[in-house]
Amino acid sequence: MKFCSECAHPVALAVPEGDNRPRYVCPHCHTIHYQNPKLVIGSIPVWEQDGKLQVLLCKRAIEPRYGYWTLPAGFMENEETTEQAAVRETEEEAGAHVELGNLFTLLNVAHVHQVHLFYLARLRDLDFAPGEESLDVRLFTQDEIPWDDLAFPTIRTTLELFFADRVKIREGGSYGFHSRDIVRPMLAPREPD
Amino acid sequence: MKFCSECAHPVALAVPEGDNRPRYVCPHCHTIHYQNPKLVIGSIPVWEQDGKLQVLLCKRAIEPRYGYWTLPAGFMENEETTEQAAVRETEEEAGAHVELGNLFTLLNVAHVHQVHLFYLARLRDLDFAPGEESLDVRLFTQDEIPWDDLAFPTIRTTLELFFADRVKIREGGSYGFHSRDIVRPMLAPREPD
């Protein structure tokens, strides 16, 4: 942020009175421009038939992570609820129609100022197709999940937790709600010469 | 938003290519200024002794809802997790130190572009005091909760769900996770003359 969005004057970084952290403030009209984390919301669309469970993934047609696989997800919009965001993103990216279940994961990605939420979801039918932001949309059994070609750590974590809960369900349990922090990956320490 | 925060040129409302809703876009530098919901995060700080349970509330020293009672809560900041936000707001507004439990409520307040999260919390001690944004901080038993003087619908909903779960706990249950949509209150229909 370089200029005030209210009066076009250059902004400055300063700690406002009564606050304790630097904000972009306008020395001219005194507007304080707060910046806060964004919600990224998606679903885990599942098709289950004859004892075989498959999860729907989308191959990204946009950066970042073009060509990598993701659960349908995207930024929550104003004027919608978290559930509406999950359903909308699933329709937009995968052309898929889902019956939404409970919230399954809340994943903090603090270093990129994001909180990711994923909802359980049941595909209503097999009438899906890639949206503008997807190259491909496919169903995967657990054995087929492209673990090395997943787009983001939150996708891997959500899928790992999902399949772990499936084991519990076979033993009479049910899906839980899981909260995790995704920590910025550190560079590997250099090997001694 | 009136001016581009990157180049100070006046912005226009337009649907960007490949998008499906109007955004503030800059005709000069082509920046798209997305606006997304904000997270408001708080806790339900509880003190339990000799079978008596009390909940800590803060009397607001700021607008909106100056003088009304609230659970400690506020806007999540960049670079922190949802749990860190809940602990920080509880310290800032109530001077209280808590051991955080599970996420208890997720409340969509779509008409004001907010999602509110409240965490279960146990007060570590009784060493609390109003912060800059609070006039008073007090412990309330269920019978003492000032239901008519609560600041926001999300506070009422969270407290109602909390005390409902307490009944279940006395019957051998446990706290759940609850998701609700707070719908904008409609004006009451006019009485026929």
Side-chain angles (χ1 to χ4, degrees), chain A residues 1-9 17-21 23 34-39 75-84 88 92 103 106 108-115 117 119 132-133 177 179-181 184, chain B residues 1-9 17-21 23 34-39 75-84 88 92 103 106 108-115 117 119 132-133 177 179-181 184:
Chain A
M1 162 159 253
K2 296 171 191 159
F3 301 95
C4 177
S5 52
E6 292 303 306
C7 78
H9 197 280
E17 199 185 318
D19 201 342
N20 53 20
R21 60 187 75 202
R23 314 281 182 185
Y34 295 99
Q35 296 184 317
N36 305 89
K38 290 183 193 291
L39 280 157
F75 288 107
M76 185 180 178
E77 299 280 2
N78 284 346
E79 312 279 355
E80 69 183 0
T81 67
T82 48
E83 287 86 353
Q84 287 165 347
R88 177 182 53 73
E92 286 181 4
L103 181 61
L106 182 157
N108 279 288
V109 201
H111 59 281
V112 291
H113 313 156
Q114 293 177 3
V115 178
L117 304 181
Y119 283 86
E132 287 204 358
E133 299 185 357
F177 162 68
S179 183
R180 294 285 187 281
D181 298 339
R184 186 202 300 266
Chain B
M1 161 157 253
K2 296 170 192 159
F3 300 95
C4 178
S5 53
E6 292 302 307
C7 77
H9 197 280
E17 199 185 318
D19 201 343
N20 53 19
R21 59 187 76 202
R23 314 282 182 185
Y34 295 98
Q35 297 183 318
N36 304 89
K38 289 183 193 290
L39 280 157
F75 288 106
M76 184 180 178
E77 300 281 2
N78 285 346
E79 312 278 355
E80 70 183 359
T81 67
T82 50
E83 287 85 353
Q84 288 166 345
R88 176 182 53 72
E92 285 181 3
L103 182 60
L106 182 157
N108 279 287
V109 201
H111 59 283
V112 292
H113 313 156
Q114 293 177 4
V115 178
L117 304 181
Y119 283 85
E132 288 203 358
E133 299 184 358
F177 162 68
S179 183
R180 295 284 187 281
D181 298 339
R184 187 202 300 266

Side-chain angles (χ1 to χ4, degrees), chain A residues 143-157:
Chain A
D143 291 341
E144 294 166 345
I145 298 280
W147 294 104
D148 293 336
D149 292 321
L150 295 177
F152 305 106
T154 56
I155 305 299
R156 167 180 282 270
T157 299

Side-chain angles (χ1 to χ4, degrees), chain A residues 85-177:
Chain A
V87 169
R88 177 182 53 73
E89 288 290 346
T90 307
E91 287 180 359
E92 286 181 4
E93 298 195 352
H97 317 104
V98 290
E99 183 185 322
L100 220 62
N102 288 338
L103 181 61
F104 184 67
T105 48
L106 182 157
L107 304 157
N108 279 288
V109 201
H111 59 281
V112 291
H113 313 156
Q114 293 177 3
V115 178
H116 292 210
L117 304 181
F118 286 92
Y119 283 86
L120 296 168
R122 197 182 60 77
L123 283 166
R124 293 181 190 277
D125 52 54
L126 292 177
D127 177 24
F128 54 78
E132 287 204 358
E133 299 185 357
S134 305
L135 298 169
D136 193 7
V137 177
R138 264 191 56 193
L139 288 170
F140 294 85
T141 63
Q142 182 174 0
D143 291 341
E144 294 166 345
I145 298 280
W147 294 104
D148 293 336
D149 292 321
L150 295 177
F152 305 106
T154 56
I155 305 299
R156 167 180 282 270
T157 299
T158 295
L159 288 172
E160 285 173 350
L161 289 165
F162 177 80
F163 288 114
D165 271 17
R166 293 294 303 180
V167 175
K168 290 183 199 153
I169 285 168
R170 284 197 290 274
E171 294 163 356
S174 56
Y175 289 112
F177 162 68

Side-chain angles (χ1 to χ4, degrees), chain A residues 14-61:
Chain A
V15 179
E17 199 185 318
D19 201 342
N20 53 20
R21 60 187 75 202
R23 314 281 182 185
Y24 287 109
V25 294
C26 177
H28 183 252
C29 76
H30 307 296
T31 299
I32 304 169
H33 298 280
Y34 295 99
Q35 296 184 317
N36 305 89
K38 290 183 193 291
L39 280 157
V40 171
I41 304 188
S43 78
I44 313 158
V46 162
W47 181 259
E48 201 165 3
Q49 200 172 29
D50 306 328
K52 181 181 170 190
L53 180 135
Q54 295 170 286
V55 176
L56 183 139
L57 298 178
C58 307
K59 194 173 192 177
R60 287 173 64 83

